[in-house]
Amino acid sequence: FRLNEGVDIISLLTGFRPGSMGESAIILILLAGIFLISTRTASWIIIVSTLGSAALLTFGLDLFGLSGSTGTIPGLLSGSFLFVTVFMATDPVSAPKRPIPQILYGIIIGTVSILVRTFSLFTEGTSFGVLVANVFGPLLDEIAGKKK
């Protein structure tokens, strides 16, 4: 089953494609994500909000012909995006602790990652997404903790 530009979905899922060690086998990353969520090590809210915001932005950019040649599904399954979403975005030390800040944190990561990946020379914008979100993580928790 091939997607845009001859990208094979089976190769993306199984890891039989060029890429860095650890980020290429999507099935293993998804299984690790399920394990981390079930042991309450990772927040499912951050994972879903990161994936959702990135998918919506990529789909929107696809509609206007701005996302390049990869398309939505290959763009989210290739490169380090899924790896960063499951392992780095959910880091319990730097991620917010409350649900609403976690949603905003995930949206920041997903949006910045796709914007950098699309409109700059850095094909792996996920690093920038995590760095920018980590700047705002404690602030989001602080704001959410204040009562009127």
Side-chain angles (χ1 to χ4, degrees):
F1 178 59
R2 293 203 178 274
L3 300 168
N4 300 350
E5 297 290 318
V7 176
D8 184 11
I9 190 76
I10 300 300
S11 296
L12 286 174
L13 291 174
T14 58
F16 293 114
R17 64 178 178 83
S20 297
M21 175 84 79
E23 71 179 27
S24 58
I26 301 303
I27 290 176
L28 295 178
I29 293 172
L30 293 174
L31 289 173
I34 292 168
F35 174 77
L36 291 173
I37 290 169
S38 68
T39 60
R40 298 186 189 261
T41 305
S43 167
W44 68 269
I45 297 172
I46 294 172
I47 294 172
V48 169
S49 62
T50 302
L51 288 173
S53 62
L56 284 174
L57 182 58
T58 305
F59 181 72
L61 291 171
D62 276 347
L63 287 178
F64 294 105
L66 296 172
S67 69
S69 62
T70 58
T72 305
I73 294 173
L76 297 178
L77 294 180
S78 61
S80 64
F81 184 76
L82 195 60
F83 181 85
V84 167
T85 299
V86 170
F87 296 110
M88 295 177 71
T90 59
D91 177 41
V93 175
S94 59
K97 310 299 183 254
R98 297 185 176 111
I100 299 297
Q102 287 177 342
I103 292 170
L104 296 173
Y105 182 79
I107 290 171
I108 292 170
I109 293 173
T111 303
V112 170
S113 298
I114 298 304
L115 288 176
V116 170
R117 182 185 272 188
T118 303
F119 297 112
S120 75
L121 297 176
F122 302 107
T123 56
E124 290 302 328
T126 53
S127 304
F128 292 102
V130 171
L131 287 172
V132 170
N134 281 341
V135 168
F136 294 106
L139 179 64
L140 293 171
D141 257 345
E142 185 69 27
I143 291 170
K146 303 245 185 219
K147 294 184 180 178
K148 294 183 178 182

